[in-house]
Amino acid sequence: MAEVEDPTALLIMAVRDLYDGESALAGRLASVRANATDQGFAAFIAADAERSTRQQEQLAAIARSLGEAPGGQVNIWLRAILDDADNDAATIAAGPLRDIAMTGALRKAKQSERVSYETAIALAELLGLDDAAATFTVMRDEEQAADEALAEILQRLCAGQSRS
Ligand SMILES: [Fe+2]
């Protein structure tokens, strides 16, 4: 039987999904970072882990403000993307090519988060939850900025590569 029957329940589901995604990033980015070679890319990953931890805490606060616990849902998409980044490390020799592949995996994560935050923004606006909508908007913009930073890292890594 379906349990989600109104916008509030759907927003709670969205918050829980985002919470698990941020939790997965916060918990697993250290090992992703250990597989990166480029110092700038590694620094980005470290900053993204800190950002994810903070966003995770913000999502928990929003869930609690809605009278719900934040956990209990698995963000299958984000966790699969992190598996993909681990697989890149297992199959591609350490160095620029692995870093290039891993920027692709992490960009998928940022875009996944960006569109998920947009769903949360829309639902919060629908429900008149202005503070939550504003918080989600900041986080959506953070994901967008993070993706743009990864795009620049990708260009820099590729600029240092020969074609052979
Ligand atoms: Fe995030």
Side-chain angles (χ1 to χ4, degrees), residues 27-100:
R28 294 178 60 179
L29 280 177
S31 64
V32 173
R33 182 184 175 212
N35 294 323
T37 301
D38 181 84
Q39 286 193 350
F41 183 37
F44 168 88
I45 297 170
D48 200 52
E50 288 185 13
R51 180 167 41 242
S52 299
T53 298
R54 193 244 308 145
Q55 291 173 333
Q56 178 188 358
E57 291 165 359
Q58 290 176 289
L59 289 163
I62 289 173
R64 284 193 288 270
S65 77
L66 296 167
E68 299 288 338
Q73 193 160 319
V74 177
N75 188 323
I76 298 166
W77 186 253
L78 235 303
R79 290 182 180 278
I81 288 169
L82 286 162
D83 290 344
D84 192 32
D86 288 345
N87 189 55
D88 287 339
T91 55
I92 306 170
L97 291 179
R98 180 195 286 177
D99 286 358
I100 288 167

Side-chain angles (χ1 to χ4, degrees), residues 86-134:
D86 288 345
N87 189 55
D88 287 339
T91 55
I92 306 170
L97 291 179
R98 180 195 286 177
D99 286 358
I100 288 167
M102 292 201 309
T103 63
L106 294 185
R107 291 191 72 193
K108 290 176 193 169
K110 295 297 99 182
Q111 290 296 344
S112 167
E113 292 184 277
R114 183 182 66 77
V115 296
S116 295
Y117 278 118
E118 292 206 340
T119 303
I121 292 165
L123 288 168
E125 288 176 344
L126 171 68
L127 292 162
L129 300 170
D130 295 342
D131 289 349

Side-chain angles (χ1 to χ4, degrees), residues 9-23:
L10 187 57
L11 177 60
I12 291 164
M13 177 186 269
V15 169
R16 285 177 168 161
D17 189 63
L18 281 160
Y19 176 85
D20 187 69
E22 299 295 3
S23 303

